[in-house]
Amino acid sequence: MATTAVDRVFAPTRGVLQEAGEMMILTGRTIVSAVKPPYPYGAEFVGQFMFALRLCWFPLLVSTVAFGYEAPGLQAANFLVLFGALDRLGGFFVLASIREFAPFVDAIVLAGVAGTAITADLGARRIREELDALEVLGVDPIKNLVVPRFLALMLVTGLFDIYALLFGVFGGVLATLVNHQPLGPFWATFFNNASTTDLWGSVVKTTLFGAIIAVVCCYKGMTAKGGAEGVGRAVNEAVVIAFLAIFAFNYVFTQVLLATHPALTDIVK
Amino acid sequence: MSFEDSEGTPIAGDLADGSPAAAAGPELTTRPAPPPGASEEEYANHSYKVYPSGRRNVVEFDNTYKSFGRNQILRGLTMGIPEGMVSMILGPSGTGKSVCIKHMVGLLYPDSGDVRVQGESVPDMPDEQLFEMRKKFGLLFQDGALFSSMNLYDNVAFPLRQHTEKSEQEIEEIVMRRLTEVGLGYSRDKLPNELSGGMRKRAGFARALVLEPDILLFDEPDSGLDPVRTALLGELILEIHREMMEDAKAQKKPYLPTFAVVTHDIMSARRVADYINVLWRGRIVEAGPAQDMLNSDNPFIRQFLAGESQGPLTMD
Ligand SMILES: Nc1ncnc2c1ncn2[C@@H]1O[C@H](COP(=O)(O)OP(=O)(O)OP(=O)(O)O)[C@@H](O)[C@H]1O
Ligand SMILES: [Mg+2]
């Protein structure tokens, strides 16, 4: 039958669209619920914040230093040495680290470490019917579980961006030192190119990354089904979707930021 | 029927001998058509008889349909849970008893048809009203659904802390009474994953009770319990119901406490039930006060209530 053939082709797409739609709705409901009194989620918020902090600080430290040292650090340094322009590494770091690498490493570590923990936790509670039990006991899971995770992840991801920046730039410093170069020119070109717009742009961007990770991971956890195996699947899907959503959002955000702040595209010597 | 009307009718076990309805048994004038996609033959054993309980229904299903993908679960379910009685919902494994319970508290919504609680349609309720309505319920989930991050004491205290202004001392008194009743007084500090399935079940039972709500739903309270504890739990249910009835009457509450128990244990059904709903293939086969049901001549009901292998119900 024609309709079933069409159905079969489009069913997966429709599933994706439907999920995307439901995540949008969850985002909306989360924001409304966060703003509207009462605010019973304080303790859970602090708990989740500390939890994410504890889980992520070390993986993030290792990844940012390693990543900052390796990719924009060593590789770019090798390249710049060809032109005898290693002193420009600092300027390059503003472009690379503040605008792109630090936020990315930050988001990837947060999604991979804290996001998966959220999905696994909520998924397990869904499977054990704990979430149903909460609802029947008059506890709104969005207000009491999603909102605190949403706020905590936004705050943590935003803060960790600065942390990632610092350690990323430290990686660049290492790369400069490994090439037996003085640090003076590194900092000079770094601060010549750095602007406050870069900094707040980066922090705002990662805060929104945090929001995306939280919504995707909460959604996947709360809709997990099919036993323990289903929780595993949900975690897996949550990471993939969170990464894709972050890549897409990053593209849009960077374009908008560059378009509205043309000064950012000028490279200062 | 209003509360005053039901004052005079006998309650609990003594319904069986007195009620005039028991003798006659209602005759259906029109037989409902089988659900779409099913043959009349599959529903041959559904006599759809409902022997009158003499009470108004606090929970009503009205031609409710629910499917999960292609899996049709409720297929035109029309069922009532009469006020002030201990009702049993019986049915073969996988017919949708748990699904049915989740419809009552608005955790699942019907595809079509209606579910009413104290006369109000659950699917039509806005969120706020739904949260209010849920306070009338206590629910024991099939797997206990204890909060894994809290110990037993906090689990049982949770509804009290959530919905009442009681002091910690009052809460402790209530919680310990309930935990002791189900034999878990000494395990108050244990976490759910340190308990056996049966112990989790009993803790879930205690948690459902603490608020003494109008409507208590127990999804297989006795599965995973040993025979002695099953019998004791049956008695406990009756005793708690009796207590709550007295309280409700003394306080002139607008609704008498209503229990609905899903079970596979025919013995406890015989001992505990005032009213029995038998569910199969997404519809009620027959329903009525316990005595009427035990005397029913419907082959499915006879097979099921006697737990025999011969009869309309087979493995598939
Ligand atoms: N959320 C759900 N999604 C998909 N299918 C479901 C869902 N909940 C229940 N089902 C299906 O509905 C059917 C009835 O389930 P239900 O748990 O209500 O059975 P039951 O009558 O309680 O059985 P038992 O006596 O074994 O507990 C099962 O086939 C189950 O697979
Ligand atoms: Mg069940």
Side-chain angles (χ1 to χ4, degrees):
Chain A
M1 232 160 56
T3 49
T4 55
V6 169
D7 269 3
R8 244 187 324 241
V9 174
F10 287 106
T13 328
R14 201 169 47 215
V16 169
L17 287 180
Q18 189 183 340
E19 282 208 345
E22 284 176 7
M23 285 183 205
M24 290 301 199
I25 294 172
L26 179 62
T27 312
R29 288 180 61 184
T30 305
I31 293 170
V32 171
S33 176
V35 177
K36 224 166 76 177
Y39 310 106
Y41 47 75
E44 183 83 4
F45 167 77
V46 174
Q48 287 297 316
F49 179 78
M50 298 310 290
F51 178 69
L53 224 54
R54 213 169 45 237
L55 278 187
C56 293
W57 74 268
F58 189 68
L60 193 58
L61 187 153
V62 173
S63 344
T64 44
V65 173
F67 203 73
Y69 172 66
E70 214 275 331
L74 281 189
Q75 301 290 6
N78 286 342
F79 188 72
L80 289 173
V81 164
L82 286 181
F83 306 103
L86 192 62
D87 58 328
R88 295 297 170 78
L89 191 61
F92 178 70
F93 252 79
V94 173
L95 301 181
S97 190
I98 302 188
R99 287 190 200 158
E100 297 297 334
F101 288 134
F104 257 128
V105 175
D106 180 22
I108 286 173
V109 169
L110 261 290
V113 179
T116 50
I118 288 179
T119 309
D121 174 41
L122 293 183
R125 295 203 211 179
R126 162 62 73 213
I127 300 301
R128 284 194 297 256
E129 296 185 316
E130 280 184 44
L131 297 184
D132 290 338
L134 272 183
E135 266 190 72
V136 174
L137 289 171
V139 177
D140 177 359
I142 293 198
K143 196 174 226 45
N144 290 273
L145 297 176
V146 179
V147 169
R149 281 163 179 74
F150 182 77
L151 298 178
L153 265 198
M154 289 214 304
L155 185 60
V156 167
T157 318
L159 286 179
F160 267 147
D161 180 45
I162 298 172
Y163 177 92
L165 275 179
L166 292 178
F167 283 102
V169 172
F170 176 69
V173 169
L174 275 188
T176 310
L177 292 177
V178 165
N179 279 286
H180 309 291
Q181 294 288 322
L183 283 174
F186 178 91
W187 291 125
T189 52
F190 182 87
F191 285 110
N192 276 342
N193 280 283
S195 66
T196 47
T197 316
D198 275 312
L199 188 62
W200 74 248
S202 180
V203 171
V204 167
K205 183 163 86 175
T206 45
T207 306
L208 295 173
F209 283 173
I212 293 175
I213 297 169
V215 168
V216 171
C217 291
C218 286
Y219 174 83
K220 275 292 167 187
M222 305 226 320
T223 55
K225 52 174 175 278
E229 202 184 313
V231 178
R233 204 164 40 231
V235 170
N236 182 277
E237 288 173 5
V239 177
V240 174
I241 296 173
F243 283 0
L244 291 180
I246 286 168
F247 292 149
F249 175 76
N250 182 54
Y251 177 76
V252 174
F253 186 90
T254 308
Q255 291 299 325
V256 171
L257 191 70
L258 291 182
T260 51
H261 297 80
L264 292 178
T265 49
D266 300 340
I267 307 292
V268 185
K269 294 177 199 143
Chain B
M1 191 178 286
S2 71
F3 179 56
E4 284 73 29
D5 292 335
S6 59
E7 274 290 78
T9 37
I11 45 164
D14 44 15
L15 246 180
D17 30 56
S19 83
E27 287 307 320
L28 278 178
T29 44
T30 52
R31 209 181 140 71
S39 66
E40 178 57 41
E41 195 157 64
E42 288 177 62
Y43 287 82
N45 285 297
H46 286 64
S47 56
Y48 301 116
K49 266 188 204 166
V50 179
Y51 301 95
S53 62
R55 306 291 181 92
R56 62 180 170 178
N57 291 324
V58 270
V59 180
E60 282 173 310
F61 284 76
D62 187 359
N63 203 20
T64 309
Y65 282 82
K66 176 73 180 178
S67 47
F68 297 102
R70 295 204 166 164
N71 203 357
Q72 301 180 351
I73 308 300
L74 305 184
R75 306 169 79 177
L77 176 67
T78 299
M79 177 176 91
I81 306 290
E83 181 187 3
M85 288 185 159
V86 180
S87 292
M88 294 274 164
I89 300 173
L90 303 179
S93 190
T95 27
K97 301 181 296 293
S98 302
V99 168
C100 186
I101 284 202
K102 286 182 184 162
H103 276 81
M104 299 184 198
V105 289
L107 286 173
L108 289 175
Y109 288 94
D111 298 334
S112 71
D114 201 4
V115 179
R116 283 184 297 270
V117 170
Q118 298 182 345
E120 303 213 42
S121 165
V122 179
D124 291 346
M125 280 181 197
D127 277 1
E128 312 270 304
Q129 200 189 340
L130 187 64
F131 277 113
E132 275 309 304
M133 188 276 293
R134 283 177 177 153
K135 291 180 191 162
K136 296 179 181 145
F137 282 96
L139 172 50
L140 164 62
F141 285 83
Q142 187 159 359
D143 298 314
L146 297 180
F147 304 127
S148 48
S149 56
M150 299 179 193
N151 67 22
L152 276 198
Y153 179 87
D154 289 332
N155 258 288
V156 178
F158 188 91
L160 292 168
R161 292 185 179 143
Q162 190 68 29
H163 292 307
T164 68
E165 301 289 317
K166 289 188 161 57
S167 69
E168 272 306 308
Q169 200 184 339
E170 288 170 289
I171 289 179
E172 172 151 18
E173 198 179 304
I174 299 174
V175 171
M176 287 319 291
R177 181 160 72 92
R178 292 302 180 196
L179 277 178
T180 315
E181 269 173 357
V182 295
L184 290 172
Y186 295 111
S187 312
R188 56 173 280 176
D189 295 323
K190 291 227 169 82
L191 288 172
N193 60 12
E194 298 167 336
L195 299 173
S196 76
M199 288 161 92
R200 280 200 289 271
K201 211 34 140 344
R202 284 182 275 151
F205 183 83
R207 186 178 68 186
L209 277 179
V210 282
L211 284 177
E212 308 208 343
D214 285 350
I215 309 167
L216 270 158
L217 308 172
F218 303 117
D219 197 347
E220 301 191 16
D222 45 19
S223 70
L225 296 188
D226 55 77
V228 177
R229 288 228 172 71
T230 305
L232 289 174
L233 189 77
E235 272 169 33
L236 185 61
I237 290 179
L238 279 184
E239 193 182 304
I240 290 170
H241 187 251
R242 210 174 299 129
E243 258 173 43
M244 285 174 62
M245 281 295 261
E246 278 161 22
D247 286 354
K249 282 182 179 162
Q251 295 172 27
K252 297 222 180 323
K253 284 194 186 171
Y255 285 91
L256 295 174
T258 304
F259 287 18
V261 187
V262 171
T263 184
H264 286 297
D265 188 58
I266 303 305
M267 286 308 289
S268 59
R270 282 166 175 268
R271 264 196 308 261
V272 177
D274 297 327
Y275 191 89
I276 296 179
N277 278 298
V278 178
L279 190 65
W280 189 32
R281 296 190 168 148
R283 288 188 177 185
I284 289 296
V285 180
E286 244 176 50
Q291 203 57 40
D292 295 321
M293 294 297 283
L294 293 172
N295 294 331
S296 168
D297 50 13
N298 181 311
F300 181 85
I301 306 285
R302 292 178 73 95
Q303 179 198 8
F304 204 75
L305 293 186
E308 281 166 7
S309 60
Q310 296 299 311
L313 179 63
T314 55
M315 257 303 178
D316 50 53

